[in-house]
Amino acid sequence: MTEIRHDWTKEEISEIYHSPLLDLIFRAATVHRENKDYSEVQISSLLSIKTGGCSEDCAYCPQAARYQTDVNVHALMSLPQVTDAARRAKEGGASRLCMGAAWREVRDNRDFDKVIEMVQAVNAMDMEVCCTLGMLTESQAQRLADAGLYAYNHNLDTSEEDYKRIITTRTYDDRIKTIENARKAKLTVCSGGIIGLGETVDDRVSMLRTLANMAKHPESVPINALVPVKGTPLENQPLVPIWDMVRMIATARIIMPKTVVRLSAGRTQMSLTDQALCFMAGANSIFAGDKLLTTPNPSVNEDMQMFEILGLKPREAFKNGRPQVASKEEEITA
C-alpha cells in the first residue's frame, strides 16, 4: 500500500510532474487502484445560491462586482428553490450538493441563518452537503457542522508565490486559516486550484505541495482548468492543454493517494477521450449539471453516457460516514 506522506519537497513533486507522460499515468493509475475503487466516481452538483456582486478582485471570476461581465446579480435563493435543485441533482445521480455564495466572508446575519436551514434540509435528503461561502471563522464553521455540513470548499487557487498576482483583496494566509477553521469543526475539506491563470509549472508544484503537506490531506482536491470569461482580467488566457490537466491530476493522485481528485471546471473543452485519460490518471470525482456556478458544464445525460462507455459508476453518499448533527438542545445551548 502506498505510504501517506506530509513531507514532500518541491523537487520530489516536480520530478513526478515532469516524468514521461505514459509512465506518470501508469504510476498514478497503480496508486489509484491500490487505494480506491478506480471505477467509482463521486458526482457533485454545484449550485450558486447567491450570484454576483462580490467585493473580491479574483482575476478569473465573473462574479466580482468590479468587472463588466454577463453575470447578473441574484439575491440569496429561497429554501424551496434549493431543495428543488437538490432533488433534481439527486435524481440525476449526484450524491453531493455544493452550495456556493459570492461572498468575501460569512457574516452572522439572516442570510447565514438561511444557509444553515438549507444545509439542514439537504442533509435530511440523504445528500452530502458542501458549502463555499468565502472566509469562515471557527464558530461559523462549527455552526455549519452542527447543521450537518459534510464539507467546506476553500480553494488555494494558485501557489503562495503567485497569489498576489491573482487576488489582492485577501491573503494566502486567510485561505489557510479558513481551512484550519473548517478542520477544527471536524468538517471534511475540499481545496484545490486552477491552472491556466498564467502561472508557471513551479507554481503548480508549489500549490500541490501546500495541499499535500497539510497535517491532514484535503478529502477532496478539485483541479480546475481556467474558463476565460470576457470582462475579467484573464479573458485572453489560452485554454489549458489536456496534457497539463492529466499531469496535475496524476501528480495529485500520487502524492495524496486517498484523496478524491475532482475533474472540475473546463470539462466542456474536453472530449470523451480527454476525460478518459483524466480518469485513468486518478480523477474520481466530477461536477454534473449544465453549470458550475456561472460557467458551462457538460449535461447530466452526456456524463451518464460517458460513465457507461468507460465502465464507471457513481459513488454513494456518506461512504465514509455521516456528519454528527447537533440536537435542538445543543443548538440552544450553543
Side-chain angles (χ1 to χ4, degrees):
M1 191 62 71
T2 310
E3 179 188 4
I4 305 298
R5 291 178 51 190
H6 304 269
D7 60 350
W8 291 93
T9 67
K10 286 179 68 173
E11 291 73 24
E12 288 174 316
I13 298 173
S14 181
E15 184 177 357
I16 293 169
Y17 183 96
H18 287 101
S19 57
L21 187 63
L22 295 182
D23 291 345
L24 176 61
I25 294 172
F26 180 79
R27 181 179 174 185
T30 302
V31 169
H32 196 179
R33 282 155 177 73
E34 287 176 352
N35 289 275
K36 290 184 177 290
D37 180 348
Y38 73 91
S39 66
E40 190 176 72
V41 176
Q42 191 264 321
I43 303 177
S44 294
S45 179
L46 184 54
L47 178 67
S48 181
I49 60 172
K50 187 272 177 185
T51 305
C54 182
S55 62
E56 299 274 41
D57 68 351
C58 307
Y60 53 80
C61 185
Q63 299 201 69
R66 66 192 68 203
Y67 305 141
Q68 299 300 312
T69 68
D70 292 333
V71 172
N72 295 317
V73 177
H74 294 288
L76 192 68
M77 293 175 72
S78 68
L79 181 59
Q81 287 175 315
V82 170
T83 53
D84 184 55
R87 177 187 54 76
R88 293 197 308 269
K90 187 174 182 180
E91 289 172 354
S95 61
R96 177 181 294 190
L97 182 71
C98 299
M99 298 188 290
W103 293 334
R104 180 176 189 271
E105 62 207 350
V106 174
R107 296 186 179 177
D108 296 307
N109 56 20
R110 268 190 222 168
D111 279 350
F112 188 39
D113 293 341
K114 292 175 183 176
V115 172
I116 294 295
E117 292 175 358
M118 295 172 189
V119 171
Q120 292 169 330
V122 178
N123 183 58
M125 297 170 68
D126 289 325
M127 292 186 78
E128 296 173 6
V129 192
C130 177
C131 280
T132 179
L133 311 170
M135 292 185 288
L136 194 68
T137 66
E138 187 176 346
S139 62
Q140 291 164 344
Q142 188 59 57
R143 196 173 169 204
L144 286 165
D146 290 341
L149 190 72
Y150 187 85
Y152 197 77
N153 166 264
H154 205 62
N155 289 334
L156 298 181
D157 289 343
T158 185
S159 70
E160 184 173 8
E161 299 81 4
D162 188 45
Y163 188 79
K164 289 181 181 178
R165 184 179 63 87
I166 303 300
I167 304 162
T168 66
T169 47
R170 75 172 93 165
T171 68
Y172 210 72
D173 285 343
D174 288 334
R175 292 195 179 264
I176 297 296
K177 183 64 176 176
T178 290
I179 292 170
E180 290 173 350
N181 289 338
R183 281 284 183 222
K184 289 174 183 175
K186 296 183 170 53
L187 294 169
T188 62
V189 167
C190 174
S191 185
I194 309 168
I195 64 172
L197 302 172
E199 76 288 345
T200 65
V201 171
D202 192 61
D203 288 319
R204 297 174 185 177
V205 167
S206 180
M207 181 187 72
L208 288 174
R209 180 175 180 266
T210 299
L211 294 167
N213 285 354
M214 288 179 176
K216 186 176 183 182
H217 292 164
E219 284 79 2
S220 178
V221 170
I223 304 295
N224 297 277
L226 176 70
V227 178
V229 178
K230 187 177 180 180
T232 64
L234 299 181
E235 65 178 350
N236 295 318
Q237 280 296 116
L239 295 178
V240 171
I242 184 59
W243 313 116
D244 290 17
M245 284 293 288
V246 170
R247 285 189 181 279
M248 283 294 289
I249 288 166
T251 305
R253 170 55 61 218
I254 291 165
I255 64 178
M256 292 175 279
K258 295 189 178 298
T259 289
V260 170
V261 180
R262 182 173 297 132
L263 177 58
S264 295
R267 283 205 299 129
T268 51
Q269 283 85 36
M270 297 181 191
S271 67
L272 177 75
T273 305
D274 292 342
Q275 293 179 73
L277 279 171
C278 291
F279 289 120
M280 177 67 74
N284 60 336
S285 177
I286 61 168
F287 279 120
D290 297 337
K291 268 194 174 183
L292 298 187
L293 294 182
T294 57
T295 55
N297 197 50
S299 71
V300 171
N301 286 341
E302 288 177 301
D303 286 335
M304 292 305 102
Q305 290 172 5
M306 176 177 69
F307 274 37
E308 185 175 352
I309 292 169
L310 300 181
L312 302 175
K313 60 189 178 188
R315 169 174 161 159
E316 295 180 3
F318 304 113
K319 188 161 184 180
N320 295 327
R322 295 188 68 109
Q324 295 295 315
V325 180
S327 66
K328 292 296 181 185
E329 292 77 12
E330 289 172 322
E331 289 177 14
I332 291 169
T333 57

